[in-house]
Amino acid sequence: SQKIEQNSEALNIQEGKTATLTCNYTNYSPAYLQWYRQDPGRGPVFLLLIRENEKEKRKERLKVTFDTTLKQSLFHITASQPADSATYLCALAGGYQKVTFGTGTKLQVIP
Amino acid sequence: DADVTQTPRNRITKTGKRIMLECSQTKGHDRMYWYRQDPGLGLRLIYYSFDVKDINKGEISDGYSVSRQAQAKFSLSLESAIPNQTALYFCATSDSRGTGETQYFGPGTRLLVL
């Protein structure tokens, strides 16, 4: 069955450093991979989308890589700030199929 | 996202009661979804609808039903609520004309079944 794995342990980093979150998947050939941010008690908010034929995507301080051979995506936040503290979800979509979400990784940026 | 609204935002009910959660959107999207979120289990899809006449079961549809009353409205019903349906429920939309099924979520409904 399809499986998406994100590190369930919280990631604590110092303000100003680069945070790197990992998303691994198995039994899936996604056409798209997405990253969302979720704050406590609120709905996820879309951040970035990367297609299967793209290696890297950037948006301001955010960078996403997508390696379909390794079946892995890395999500980077450079120059992290306490306001970046949240849970980050990766999600996979294949063509016109529904989206499947990972369980998320909680990021805590320490001032 | 103010374009996707959910009512009620919080609800406490008793076992066996029927309850309806409502979702409305002004984004003009054709696709709508209901998810539940539980600690450690992430977002799980309950039902989804790709247009007004289309209803599909997700991975955890047992004990739930839905109605797509219009393109902008998608309601979720618990016919006879049970305590393990206590969770945070999210409605989401996407646009089939868009890219990659990007999902736009409502603020959520926190449901407690006693």
Side-chain angles (χ1 to χ4, degrees), chain A residues 34 36 91-93 97-101, chain B residues 33 35 45 100-101 103:
Chain A
Q34 306 167 5
Y36 292 78
L92 305 179
Q97 297 173 13
K98 61 190 184 304
V99 175
T100 303
F101 285 85
Chain B
Y33 310 79
Y35 294 90
L45 184 63
E101 293 295 340
Q103 309 261 294

Side-chain angles (χ1 to χ4, degrees), chain B residues 5-13 19-24 34 75-76 78 87-91 106-112:
Chain B
T5 58
Q6 292 183 233
T7 56
R9 293 295 313 280
N10 294 279
R11 180 73 183 265
I12 300 173
T13 192
I19 182 171
M20 180 182 288
L21 309 183
E22 299 192 12
C23 176
S24 294
W34 275 105
S75 59
L76 175 72
L78 287 68
L88 188 53
Y89 289 84
F90 289 105
C91 173
T109 294
R110 191 172 296 278
L111 176 65
L112 174 61

Side-chain angles (χ1 to χ4, degrees), chain A residues 22-39:
Chain A
T22 304
C23 176
N24 296 297
Y25 60 93
T26 56
N27 298 324
Y28 207 131
S29 296
Y32 306 96
L33 188 144
Q34 306 167 5
W35 284 89
Y36 292 78
R37 170 186 172 138
Q38 186 175 23
D39 292 288

